[in-house]
Amino acid sequence: MDILYLIRSRLDQLSPTQLKVAEAILDDVRFAASAGIEQLAAKAGVSPAAMSRFAKAMDCEDIRTLRMRLAQAATVGQRFLDGSPLPAAPASFFGNIVADIESTLRRHLAGFDEQQFSAAVDLICQADRLVAFGVGGGSTVFSDELQFRLVRLGHVLTAYHDPVLMRITAATLGPHDLLIVLSTTGITPELLAAVDIARGYGTRLLALTRPDSPLAQRADVVLPVFLDETDFIYKPTAARYGMLLAVDILATELALRQPEHSQELLRRVKLALDDYRHGEDRLPLGD
C-alpha cells in the first residue's frame, strides 16, 4: 500500500480532526514515521485516540501499522517527498543536463581499468555462446546496443529482457558460455535470480554494474558503472551514459584484438548496407 497516495486521495473525505492528522503527516513524513503517538498527536493538535481512529480510516489495523507504512514511504528519500528545486527558466536546465553527462563520462573514464576490459574481451573470445540480460529503461536498451556492437564483429550475442525467458535461457547455459548482465543498480531481483541459475551451471559472468553491488559480487569480471544522482529528480540518470561508454570501449577493445579480421567484417557490413540504402560513405554501420 502507498500510504501517502491513500492519505492524499482521501483528504476531501476526512473529518476536520482527521484532516489535521493528515496535514501533520504530509508536512513531515520522516517525523511522522519515527515519532511516538503522543508526539504526532501533539504536532497535529489532536488526542492520541484521534490518531488511532485516523489509522483505521487509512485501512491500518492500528497506529503501529500506520507508522510502519509511513516508514516504508519515507525510504524513497527526502528529495522525492519535498520535491526537487525547479529551474528558474524553462530552458535553464539544458546546460545542467549536459554538465551532468560530461561529469559522468569523466568519472567513468577515470574509474575504468584497461585490464578489466582486456579480461572482458578474453571472456567474449573464449565463449561458445554469448547471452546478455538487461531489464529496465537503460539496461534493456544497452543490452540491445551491445548486441549490435558485437554482431558486426562476428560475435553473435542474443539479448533477453523478459524475466521468465531469462530464467529459461540461464538454465541452458554452461561452463563454456558467457552471460553478460547490464544493470545500473545491480540489485534487480529478476536479474539476480537468473544469474544464480546460470552460475549454478558454471556459466562465466561479465557484469556492467555498480562495483559494490550484489551482481558485481557474482561476476568473474566487472566493468564498473558509477551512480552519482543529484537532487534534480526530473531527468533520467546520467549513469546511462557511463554504461554506454563502457559498451563502446568494450566493443572497440574487442575489434582491436584482431584488427585485420574486424576490418574485413566491417567492410562486409558496409557493403551489405550500402547495397540497399545507397547512402553516403560516412554513414554509420547499422546505427
Side-chain angles (χ1 to χ4, degrees):
M1 178 190 296
D2 186 345
I3 189 65
L4 297 185
Y5 169 80
L6 191 63
I7 293 173
R8 290 175 179 133
S9 68
R10 295 183 179 179
L11 287 176
D12 59 352
Q13 305 171 24
L14 300 178
S15 68
T17 300
Q18 291 172 338
L19 186 59
K20 289 182 179 180
V21 178
E23 291 174 343
I25 290 173
L26 296 176
D27 179 64
D28 192 339
V29 177
R30 287 186 178 276
F31 171 80
S34 60
I37 184 172
E38 292 82 5
Q39 292 175 301
L40 188 54
K43 177 178 173 62
V46 301
S47 67
M51 292 296 308
S52 297
R53 289 193 293 272
F54 177 83
K56 292 185 181 300
M58 292 299 116
D59 301 336
C60 297
E61 295 179 4
D62 49 33
I63 192 67
R64 179 181 177 183
T65 304
L66 175 64
R67 291 177 59 196
M68 179 186 69
R69 289 175 178 166
L70 288 173
Q72 291 173 340
T75 60
V76 299
Q78 203 64 34
R79 61 200 174 112
F80 289 94
L81 297 173
D82 295 342
S84 178
L86 296 177
S92 65
F93 62 88
F94 289 12
N96 290 339
I97 290 179
V98 174
D100 284 347
I101 294 171
E102 292 177 345
S103 175
T104 292
L105 291 176
R106 293 193 185 96
R107 166 78 189 281
H108 280 79
L109 189 59
F112 286 161
D113 185 341
E114 166 62 24
Q115 292 183 347
Q116 292 172 309
F117 284 90
S118 180
V121 170
D122 287 341
L123 289 178
I124 293 172
C125 292
Q126 295 165 4
D128 291 342
R129 183 181 174 194
L130 297 173
V131 170
F133 289 168
V135 297
S139 301
T140 294
V141 172
F142 291 132
S143 60
D144 287 336
E145 172 74 8
L146 187 63
Q147 182 178 33
F148 274 93
R149 296 304 126 236
L150 266 58
V151 70
R152 64 183 187 172
L153 298 173
H155 296 273
V156 179
L157 177 146
T158 307
Y160 297 93
H161 317 302
D162 178 81
V164 175
L165 194 52
M166 287 192 301
R167 293 176 71 93
I168 293 172
T169 303
T172 70
L173 299 176
H176 300 292
D177 302 319
L178 176 63
L179 175 58
I180 306 175
V181 180
L182 300 90
S183 174
T184 52
T185 64
I187 62 174
T188 305
E190 294 88 346
L191 279 176
L192 296 179
V195 165
D196 287 341
I197 293 172
R199 292 295 274 172
Y201 292 105
T203 307
R204 307 300 296 277
L205 176 62
L206 167 61
L208 282 72
T209 189
R210 289 188 303 157
D212 59 346
S213 67
L215 176 59
Q217 294 169 5
R218 290 164 164 80
D220 295 290
V221 175
V222 177
L223 301 182
V225 176
F226 304 104
L227 300 182
D228 291 313
E229 295 302 288
T230 68
D231 288 335
F232 190 63
I233 65 174
Y234 303 100
K235 70 172 184 64
T237 175
R240 296 174 298 126
Y241 295 91
M243 183 172 285
L244 179 58
L245 178 62
V247 169
D248 283 357
I249 293 176
L250 178 62
T252 305
E253 182 91 18
L254 180 61
L256 293 177
R257 181 65 62 93
Q258 295 179 298
E260 293 181 0
H261 177 66
S262 298
Q263 179 181 343
E264 170 59 15
L265 293 181
L266 294 174
R267 182 195 65 80
R268 295 185 199 177
V269 171
K270 183 68 164 61
L271 179 64
L273 293 176
D274 287 351
D275 185 54
Y276 83 94
R277 69 185 180 186
H278 305 293
E280 303 171 8
D281 176 60
R282 295 292 178 176
L283 289 180
L285 297 181
D287 296 281

